[in-house]
Amino acid sequence: MSQRIFEALLCYGRLTLPAILRYTHLTARQVSNSLVILVQQHLALWHTSKEDNNTYYEADWINAYSLIRCGKHIRNTEVRFGDFEGGVISNLLLLGHARVEDLARAYGVPHMEEQADHVDEVHEFSNRHVRNGLEKPPAKCSKHSLESLQSALRLLLEAGHVCKVHESQLHSTADNRAEAEKAVQRMPQFQAPLKGKMKDEYAEAVERKLAAWRDVKFTEIQPMNGAGNGKKRYLDESESGNNAKRARLDGCIASRASVKSSNTDQPRTINLEDDLVLRVNHEKFAVIARNKRLVELAEETIGKDSSKVYETLLTLLESNIQCCSPSSTAWIDLDDDDDNELEDRQVSIEQLASCHDDYASLFKVIDQVEPSKVDLERFIHPKKRRRKISDDKAQVDDDASTNEENNKIDSDQDDTVSNVTYDIGLVNGNAHNCSKFQNGATEQQASLPDRQAKLNIIRDHLLLLAEHPYRFVERLQKTHTRTEKWAVNFSALSHQMRLIELENTILTRYGEGALRVVRILEEKGKLDEKAITNIGLINQKVIRAILTTMHKAGHLELQEIPRDNHRQPSRTMFFWFFDPERCRQKVLEETYKAMARCMQRVKVEREAVQVTIDKASRTDVVGKEDEYLGDEERNALEAWREKEEKLLGELNRLDDLVAVLRDF
């Protein structure tokens, strides 16, 4: 029934309850129960209009698509935090959203009051010293205590993997914007007619309201003192004596919030309230996937060691970025020293050096960098810039003498990567602490680097990342108001990743000639066929075939400009151009279709051997397939598993492409 209702919402769009009854031919009770399930699973959105007092429902296909990534979400959580936290994510994905109390009951964890009574019961039993076997002790606590569940939930909340359910998450984007506009219009400064700059301020206020609803911070759900928002269960000072000693007894762990340590300086944990409703934050997992893809791209283009430094930088920035939306990753001018909007997207080099662990490989790879391949002049402060690095106007001849080569190396040693770092040290006032890590680096420096050496080597790798054409990082110059910091332009990098995927798709489908044409059009803009032929150095017949094929597929666009009003073909100019956004939408649509075909193929292949699958999944057959299954059945089951693995693997790769083209 839920499937029929969801299909009707996808086909007919926004519907009321009577309209859903008419299209699905179900009873009102069946539709109501199914809508409750769809809303809880975040597969259906609803909105009650204040004008006609009707409730409208519509399908949320974005969250429906996110079900494909459930395995990735669980795996990422298990790798980062552990199996128990991954199980919590798995249960929340199955439930859609759930209260903390419901999760505790699902894990068999008693309430705080029940667990406290159980601990008191065990303590009373132990005081009686009953060991004659006539009286049995109380039942032990469950495998997962309330403390471990609360700790896991708070850890996931702090990391952003789980978020609080807000009412705006159950409404569509259009409804949320309408409500935000109404809320902003009630402000005193926007009640007058909007003119000039007030329109821009009004638009910014609406975006801030939407962002506040979307990014529900963890600090907003922390229970506060007093009644209402949370449970802050501490023992009184008079009770912190004997009760604190029985915090752990006979395998039962008391809640941290129910036992106060005698050390008053120790921070106290606050339990989440039982009525707090939580769900999986799919947008945060998109941020994690984007960081992972950026690290892989840095490793492919620069190297493994520099990518590790980049991974550390992205990990530090991850906690401050809640989603990959354009508003949260919009780039701000780095030259504006008074702008503090980038404060949460900046990392100081001291913080980065303290968080990075492996330095041995970093020193080794910097020693192998050739100075002539890295231009770092523009990263030096203009006022402290040394002489310009002279261009290599002539190469050393093959018959040059060894002395001439040595003289050239000696003259160029001032332009090495480490010497540029030395100049940066001059800018920062740390010239006397700078060390050279080129060929003259000692074994002691490589094995036991000091603090300044760590800063220098981290800076060298960051400069390599910044010098790359992709501009993985941006350096914020040191001023009198801020220290040296580094930031990431996620908007530009996301655009670059999308462009790389589009080029890979075009290269795979049409060949190298088509890729050359696309790059020419992307750089030069609109060109006619003759100009493309001259620039690309390709035969005109080949160019014409490539342009026709790609235009038919929708990856290239053609503009006609008539020279007169008659619009005759002989008097018309035809200009070809490449629109990345339109091509992205076309490739994304084709990717959706390919994923649907993969899922349909999995269903068809499963139905062909469904009887064998059902027989192999029986409890009395599992582990005894050789005994209960025939040769044909085993071969059919093995062939099905191979097909399923290939199809699901292809589905996973297509989902990675969708993430780059749509979510990043």
Side-chain angles (χ1 to χ4, degrees):
M1 290 184 293
S2 300
Q3 179 182 357
R4 292 174 60 181
I5 294 175
F6 187 76
E7 183 178 359
L9 293 176
L10 287 175
C11 294
Y12 299 101
R14 196 179 180 99
L15 298 175
T16 59
L17 183 59
I20 296 175
L21 295 174
R22 183 169 63 255
Y23 288 124
T24 58
H25 305 288
L26 298 174
T27 63
R29 183 182 182 86
Q30 292 174 336
V31 171
S32 299
N33 294 336
S34 299
L35 285 175
V36 170
I37 296 174
L38 291 176
V39 170
Q40 182 175 355
Q41 294 291 335
H42 294 269
L43 300 178
L45 304 173
W46 62 273
H47 177 71
T48 301
S49 176
K50 296 182 180 179
E51 287 76 10
D52 53 6
N53 202 23
N54 289 331
T55 301
Y56 296 87
Y57 300 91
E58 59 181 303
D60 188 0
W61 69 273
I62 297 294
N63 279 331
Y65 177 86
S66 299
L67 297 177
I68 299 177
R69 302 174 177 173
C70 291
K72 294 182 180 179
H73 297 348
I74 297 172
R75 178 59 180 168
N76 288 334
T77 307
E78 290 177 349
V79 170
R80 290 194 172 205
F81 304 111
D83 295 338
F84 180 66
E85 286 76 6
V88 173
I89 293 293
S90 177
N91 290 327
L92 285 176
L93 287 171
L94 291 175
L95 297 174
H97 63 250
R99 298 184 305 166
V100 176
E101 180 181 359
D102 297 333
L103 284 174
R105 292 184 182 277
Y107 278 98
V109 177
H111 290 290
M112 189 175 300
E113 294 84 356
E114 297 176 359
Q115 191 172 14
D117 295 341
H118 182 81
V119 173
D120 292 339
E121 183 181 357
V122 174
H123 179 71
E124 182 180 356
F125 173 82
S126 61
N127 289 338
R128 293 199 300 267
H129 300 286
V130 180
R131 294 293 183 269
N132 54 9
L134 300 177
E135 185 177 354
K136 294 183 179 181
K140 293 185 179 182
C141 296
S142 60
K143 180 179 178 180
H144 302 292
S145 65
L146 179 63
E147 180 185 10
S148 61
L149 179 60
Q150 289 276 350
S151 176
L153 290 176
R154 291 182 65 87
L155 184 62
L156 294 174
L157 279 166
E158 292 173 355
H161 293 199
V162 171
C163 64
K164 176 185 176 182
V165 176
H166 191 268
E167 185 179 358
S168 62
Q169 299 173 359
L170 305 177
H171 300 164
S172 64
T173 304
D175 295 330
N176 288 333
R177 180 168 291 276
E179 293 294 332
E181 290 177 353
K182 292 179 182 179
V184 172
Q185 288 173 2
R186 288 192 291 267
M187 297 181 181
Q189 62 270 27
F190 298 114
Q191 292 182 357
L194 302 178
K195 297 180 181 179
K197 295 183 179 180
M198 292 298 297
K199 293 183 179 180
D200 297 336
E201 295 179 0
Y202 173 78
E204 292 177 0
V206 172
E207 293 296 334
R208 286 195 299 269
K209 177 64 71 174
L210 291 173
W213 290 346
R214 181 184 64 246
D215 303 332
V216 181
K217 303 294 184 181
F218 175 66
T219 54
E220 298 178 5
I221 62 175
Q222 287 182 348
M224 306 299 292
N225 287 328
N229 290 334
K231 297 181 179 180
K232 198 171 183 179
R233 301 179 181 274
Y234 299 134
L235 295 177
D236 297 333
E237 295 292 340
S238 59
E239 299 178 356
S240 61
N242 298 328
N243 292 336
K245 296 180 180 179
R246 50 188 174 96
R248 183 182 183 96
L249 180 63
D250 199 14
C252 297
I253 304 175
S255 176
R256 291 180 187 172
S258 63
V259 178
K260 179 182 177 182
S261 175
S262 58
N263 186 7
T264 57
D265 296 335
Q266 185 178 359
R268 300 175 296 183
T269 304
I270 305 174
N271 278 319
L272 302 174
E273 62 179 4
D274 293 338
D275 294 334
L276 179 63
V277 183
L278 302 175
R279 59 165 295 190
V280 176
N281 188 5
H282 297 283
E283 294 180 345
K284 188 66 175 183
F285 283 100
V287 175
I288 297 173
R290 181 182 63 184
N291 293 346
K292 182 180 179 181
R293 183 67 185 93
L294 287 174
V295 172
E296 293 175 355
L297 183 61
E299 183 177 355
E300 294 172 1
T301 55
I302 298 180
K304 184 176 181 180
D305 298 286
S306 297
S307 66
K308 290 181 179 180
V309 177
Y310 194 44
E311 183 179 7
T312 306
L313 174 63
L314 294 176
T315 303
L316 294 174
L317 293 174
E318 183 181 300
S319 59
N320 299 326
I321 301 175
Q322 301 300 324
C323 62
C324 296
S325 62
S327 59
S328 63
T329 59
W331 191 239
I332 303 172
D333 188 9
L334 294 177
D335 296 333
D336 190 1
D337 296 337
D338 297 332
D339 199 350
N340 295 325
E341 297 184 27
L342 272 173
E343 189 65 31
D344 58 343
R345 303 206 304 259
Q346 302 173 1
V347 175
S348 64
I349 192 170
E350 291 82 4
Q351 184 181 5
L352 184 59
S354 62
C355 294
H356 194 76
D357 298 329
D358 186 13
Y359 281 93
S361 59
L362 299 186
F363 283 96
K364 181 178 179 181
V365 72
I366 287 295
D367 289 343
Q368 299 173 355
V369 174
E370 296 183 11
S372 59
K373 295 183 179 181
V374 182
D375 180 17
L376 302 177
E377 180 188 359
R378 59 191 179 90
F379 295 102
I380 307 175
H381 197 282
K383 295 182 180 180
K384 299 293 184 180
R385 184 177 298 170
R386 300 179 62 190
R387 63 179 181 85
K388 295 183 179 180
I389 301 176
S390 59
D391 298 331
D392 295 335
K393 298 181 180 180
Q395 299 293 336
V396 180
D397 297 333
D398 295 335
D399 56 347
S401 62
T402 307
N403 294 332
E404 292 177 349
E405 292 181 357
N406 294 335
N407 293 334
K408 180 176 177 59
I409 294 175
D410 294 338
S411 62
D412 288 341
Q413 277 192 354
D414 292 335
D415 299 332
T416 57
V417 174
S418 59
N419 283 330
V420 174
T421 304
Y422 184 88
D423 293 337
I424 295 176
L426 286 174
V427 176
N428 295 335
N430 298 323
H432 60 282
N433 292 328
C434 295
S435 302
K436 295 183 179 181
F437 299 105
Q438 281 295 103
N439 299 327
T442 61
E443 296 181 358
Q444 183 178 3
Q445 290 174 335
S447 59
L448 297 174
D450 56 1
R451 179 179 177 275
Q452 187 59 36
K454 292 180 179 179
L455 294 179
N456 291 337
I457 199 66
I458 290 292
R459 186 184 289 110
D460 287 343
H461 282 276
L462 291 176
L463 290 175
L464 290 176
L465 293 167
E467 177 65 18
H468 194 272
Y470 292 164
R471 304 293 296 275
F472 288 101
V473 294
E474 296 283 349
R475 181 172 182 264
L476 280 68
Q477 294 288 350
K478 178 182 178 181
T479 63
H480 63 281
T481 58
R482 70 184 178 196
T483 59
E484 178 187 356
K485 291 188 177 182
W486 296 80
V488 179
N489 190 348
F490 288 104
S491 299
L493 288 172
S494 298
H495 174 74
Q496 186 63 43
M497 285 191 293
R498 289 191 291 268
L499 192 59
I500 291 174
E501 293 296 339
L502 294 179
E503 291 180 352
N504 291 337
T505 302
I506 293 173
L507 177 62
T508 304
R509 294 185 182 182
Y510 309 108
E512 296 180 357
L515 178 60
R516 186 185 303 179
V517 171
V518 167
R519 289 178 175 175
I520 291 173
L521 294 175
E522 183 185 0
E523 180 182 357
K524 303 295 183 180
K526 298 180 180 179
L527 297 174
D528 60 356
E529 184 177 310
K530 184 177 180 180
I532 297 174
T533 303
N534 295 332
I535 298 174
L537 301 177
I538 306 177
N539 192 339
Q540 189 173 5
K541 293 183 179 180
V542 178
I543 285 288
R544 189 171 299 170
I546 292 174
L547 294 176
T548 304
T549 304
M550 296 184 65
H551 178 62
K552 184 178 179 180
H555 296 155
L556 283 184
E557 303 299 330
L558 180 63
Q559 183 180 5
E560 302 178 3
I561 301 179
R563 297 181 181 179
D564 51 28
N565 295 331
H566 299 289
R567 293 182 177 273
Q568 296 180 0
S570 60
R571 300 289 298 173
T572 303
M573 297 181 296
F574 298 92
F575 291 99
W576 298 89
F577 65 96
F578 175 70
D579 188 355
E581 180 61 25
R582 193 174 300 180
C583 183
R584 181 191 70 85
Q585 295 177 359
K586 183 66 177 178
V587 174
L588 186 61
E589 179 183 355
E590 295 170 351
T591 306
Y592 286 148
K593 294 179 181 179
M595 296 179 70
R597 295 190 188 101
C598 286
M599 298 176 69
Q600 292 172 359
R601 192 63 187 174
V602 169
K603 182 179 179 181
V604 171
E605 294 292 342
R606 183 188 293 112
E607 290 176 353
V609 292
Q610 188 64 46
V611 177
T612 305
I613 294 174
D614 294 340
K615 182 178 179 180
S617 60
R618 286 166 38 185
T619 56
D620 57 335
V621 179
V622 175
K624 302 178 181 179
E625 288 82 359
D626 297 337
E627 181 179 354
Y628 290 98
L629 296 180
D631 294 338
E632 295 182 358
E633 291 177 333
R634 288 197 302 270
N635 295 334
L637 187 62
E638 184 179 357
W640 148 247
R641 289 173 178 173
E642 292 179 358
K643 293 179 182 179
E644 183 185 31
E645 183 179 359
K646 292 179 180 179
L647 290 171
L648 294 181
E650 181 64 22
L651 188 68
N652 185 33
R653 287 188 290 270
L654 292 172
D655 176 61
D656 294 337
L657 179 60
V658 171
V660 175
L661 297 178
R662 188 194 68 183
D663 298 334
F664 294 173

Short mmCIF file of all heavy atoms in Angstrom, two decimals, residues 584-606:
data_model
loop_
_atom_site.label_atom_id
_atom_site.label_comp_id
_atom_site.label_asym_id
_atom_site.label_seq_id
_atom_site.Cartn_x
_atom_site.Cartn_y
_atom_site.Cartn_z
N ARG A 584 25.77 18.55 -17.74
CA ARG A 584 25.68 17.87 -16.44
C ARG A 584 24.30 17.30 -16.22
O ARG A 584 24.14 16.15 -15.76
CB ARG A 584 26.03 18.86 -15.33
CG ARG A 584 25.99 18.27 -13.94
CD ARG A 584 26.07 19.35 -12.89
NE ARG A 584 24.85 20.14 -12.86
CZ ARG A 584 23.75 19.82 -12.18
NH1 ARG A 584 23.73 18.70 -11.47
NH2 ARG A 584 22.69 20.59 -12.20
N GLN A 585 23.26 18.07 -16.52
CA GLN A 585 21.90 17.57 -16.34
C GLN A 585 21.60 16.39 -17.26
O GLN A 585 20.91 15.44 -16.86
CB GLN A 585 20.92 18.71 -16.60
CG GLN A 585 21.00 19.85 -15.60
CD GLN A 585 20.08 20.99 -15.93
OE1 GLN A 585 19.36 20.96 -16.94
NE2 GLN A 585 20.07 22.02 -15.09
N LYS A 586 22.13 16.46 -18.48
CA LYS A 586 21.92 15.35 -19.41
C LYS A 586 22.60 14.08 -18.92
O LYS A 586 21.99 12.99 -18.93
CB LYS A 586 22.46 15.76 -20.79
CG LYS A 586 22.23 14.73 -21.88
CD LYS A 586 20.76 14.58 -22.19
CE LYS A 586 20.53 13.61 -23.33
NZ LYS A 586 19.10 13.41 -23.63
N VAL A 587 23.85 14.18 -18.50
CA VAL A 587 24.56 13.00 -18.00
C VAL A 587 23.92 12.49 -16.72
O VAL A 587 23.83 11.26 -16.50
CB VAL A 587 26.05 13.35 -17.77
CG1 VAL A 587 26.79 12.19 -17.12
CG2 VAL A 587 26.72 13.72 -19.09
N LEU A 588 23.45 13.38 -15.86
CA LEU A 588 22.79 12.96 -14.62
C LEU A 588 21.50 12.20 -14.92
O LEU A 588 21.20 11.17 -14.29
CB LEU A 588 22.51 14.18 -13.76
CG LEU A 588 21.95 13.93 -12.36
CD1 LEU A 588 22.93 13.11 -11.54
CD2 LEU A 588 21.66 15.26 -11.65
N GLU A 589 20.75 12.69 -15.89
CA GLU A 589 19.53 11.98 -16.27
C GLU A 589 19.83 10.60 -16.83
O GLU A 589 19.15 9.62 -16.49
CB GLU A 589 18.78 12.82 -17.32
CG GLU A 589 17.49 12.18 -17.81
CD GLU A 589 16.82 12.99 -18.90
OE1 GLU A 589 17.33 14.10 -19.19
OE2 GLU A 589 15.82 12.53 -19.47
N GLU A 590 20.85 10.50 -17.65
CA GLU A 590 21.24 9.20 -18.19
C GLU A 590 21.75 8.26 -17.09
O GLU A 590 21.53 7.04 -17.16
CB GLU A 590 22.30 9.38 -19.27
CG GLU A 590 21.81 10.13 -20.50
CD GLU A 590 22.94 10.51 -21.43
OE1 GLU A 590 24.11 10.33 -21.03
OE2 GLU A 590 22.66 11.00 -22.55
N THR A 591 22.41 8.82 -16.09
CA THR A 591 22.90 8.00 -14.98
C THR A 591 21.74 7.44 -14.17
O THR A 591 21.76 6.28 -13.75
CB THR A 591 23.83 8.82 -14.08
OG1 THR A 591 24.86 9.41 -14.87
CG2 THR A 591 24.46 7.95 -13.02
N TYR A 592 20.71 8.26 -13.94
CA TYR A 592 19.52 7.77 -13.25
C TYR A 592 18.90 6.59 -14.01
O TYR A 592 18.49 5.58 -13.40
CB TYR A 592 18.49 8.89 -13.11
CG TYR A 592 18.83 9.92 -12.06
CD1 TYR A 592 18.45 11.26 -12.22
CD2 TYR A 592 19.52 9.59 -10.91
CE1 TYR A 592 18.75 12.21 -11.27
CE2 TYR A 592 19.82 10.53 -9.95
CZ TYR A 592 19.44 11.84 -10.15
OH TYR A 592 19.74 12.79 -9.19
N LYS A 593 18.81 6.71 -15.31
CA LYS A 593 18.22 5.63 -16.11
C LYS A 593 19.07 4.37 -16.03
O LYS A 593 18.52 3.25 -15.94
CB LYS A 593 18.09 6.09 -17.56
CG LYS A 593 17.09 7.22 -17.78
CD LYS A 593 17.02 7.63 -19.23
CE LYS A 593 16.04 8.78 -19.44
NZ LYS A 593 15.98 9.22 -20.87
N ALA A 594 20.38 4.53 -16.07
CA ALA A 594 21.25 3.37 -15.97
C ALA A 594 21.11 2.68 -14.61
O ALA A 594 21.10 1.44 -14.53
CB ALA A 594 22.71 3.78 -16.20
N MET A 595 20.98 3.47 -13.55
CA MET A 595 20.79 2.88 -12.22
C MET A 595 19.46 2.14 -12.13
O MET A 595 19.37 1.05 -11.54
CB MET A 595 20.86 3.98 -11.16
CG MET A 595 22.21 4.67 -11.06
SD MET A 595 22.25 5.97 -9.83
CE MET A 595 22.15 5.01 -8.32
N ALA A 596 18.42 2.72 -12.72
CA ALA A 596 17.11 2.05 -12.71
C ALA A 596 17.18 0.73 -13.47
O ALA A 596 16.59 -0.29 -13.04
CB ALA A 596 16.05 2.96 -13.33
N ARG A 597 17.90 0.71 -14.59
CA ARG A 597 18.03 -0.55 -15.34
C ARG A 597 18.81 -1.59 -14.55
O ARG A 597 18.48 -2.79 -14.60
CB ARG A 597 18.72 -0.27 -16.67
CG ARG A 597 17.92 0.63 -17.61
CD ARG A 597 18.55 0.67 -18.99
NE ARG A 597 17.90 1.67 -19.82
CZ ARG A 597 18.38 2.88 -20.08
NH1 ARG A 597 19.56 3.24 -19.55
NH2 ARG A 597 17.74 3.72 -20.85
N CYS A 598 19.83 -1.16 -13.83
CA CYS A 598 20.58 -2.11 -12.99
C CYS A 598 19.69 -2.73 -11.92
O CYS A 598 19.74 -3.95 -11.69
CB CYS A 598 21.77 -1.41 -12.35
SG CYS A 598 23.14 -1.04 -13.47
N MET A 599 18.89 -1.91 -11.28
CA MET A 599 18.00 -2.43 -10.24
C MET A 599 16.93 -3.34 -10.82
O MET A 599 16.56 -4.36 -10.21
CB MET A 599 17.37 -1.26 -9.49
CG MET A 599 18.38 -0.37 -8.77
SD MET A 599 17.64 1.06 -7.97
CE MET A 599 16.72 0.27 -6.66
N GLN A 600 16.42 -2.99 -12.00
CA GLN A 600 15.44 -3.86 -12.64
C GLN A 600 16.07 -5.19 -13.04
O GLN A 600 15.45 -6.25 -12.93
CB GLN A 600 14.86 -3.16 -13.86
CG GLN A 600 13.99 -1.96 -13.53
CD GLN A 600 13.60 -1.17 -14.76
OE1 GLN A 600 13.99 -1.52 -15.88
NE2 GLN A 600 12.83 -0.11 -14.57
N ARG A 601 17.32 -5.13 -13.50
CA ARG A 601 17.99 -6.37 -13.88
C ARG A 601 18.24 -7.26 -12.68
O ARG A 601 18.13 -8.49 -12.76
CB ARG A 601 19.32 -6.03 -14.58
CG ARG A 601 19.96 -7.21 -15.27
CD ARG A 601 19.07 -7.73 -16.39
NE ARG A 601 19.57 -8.96 -16.96
CZ ARG A 601 18.91 -9.66 -17.89
NH1 ARG A 601 17.73 -9.22 -18.30
NH2 ARG A 601 19.42 -10.77 -18.36
N VAL A 602 18.58 -6.66 -11.55
CA VAL A 602 18.76 -7.43 -10.32
C VAL A 602 17.46 -8.14 -9.94
O VAL A 602 17.45 -9.33 -9.56
CB VAL A 602 19.23 -6.52 -9.17
CG1 VAL A 602 19.16 -7.24 -7.84
CG2 VAL A 602 20.65 -6.04 -9.42
N LYS A 603 16.35 -7.44 -10.09
CA LYS A 603 15.05 -8.02 -9.76
C LYS A 603 14.71 -9.18 -10.69
O LYS A 603 14.23 -10.23 -10.25
CB LYS A 603 13.98 -6.95 -9.83
CG LYS A 603 12.59 -7.43 -9.45
CD LYS A 603 11.58 -6.30 -9.52
CE LYS A 603 10.19 -6.79 -9.15
NZ LYS A 603 9.18 -5.69 -9.25
N VAL A 604 14.98 -9.02 -11.97
CA VAL A 604 14.67 -10.08 -12.93
C VAL A 604 15.55 -11.31 -12.68
O VAL A 604 15.06 -12.45 -12.69
CB VAL A 604 14.87 -9.55 -14.37
CG1 VAL A 604 14.77 -10.69 -15.38
CG2 VAL A 604 13.82 -8.49 -14.69
N GLU A 605 16.83 -11.09 -12.45
CA GLU A 605 17.73 -12.21 -12.20
C GLU A 605 17.39 -12.93 -10.90
O GLU A 605 17.54 -14.15 -10.80
CB GLU A 605 19.19 -11.72 -12.17
CG GLU A 605 19.71 -11.18 -13.49
CD GLU A 605 19.85 -12.26 -14.54
OE1 GLU A 605 19.89 -13.45 -14.17
OE2 GLU A 605 19.93 -11.92 -15.73
N ARG A 606 16.93 -12.19 -9.91
CA ARG A 606 16.55 -12.82 -8.65
C ARG A 606 15.30 -13.67 -8.82
O ARG A 606 15.19 -14.77 -8.24
CB ARG A 606 16.33 -11.76 -7.57
CG ARG A 606 16.00 -12.37 -6.21
CD ARG A 606 15.58 -11.34 -5.19
NE ARG A 606 16.68 -10.46 -4.83
CZ ARG A 606 16.74 -9.18 -5.13
NH1 ARG A 606 15.75 -8.62 -5.84
NH2 ARG A 606 17.75 -8.45 -4.77
#
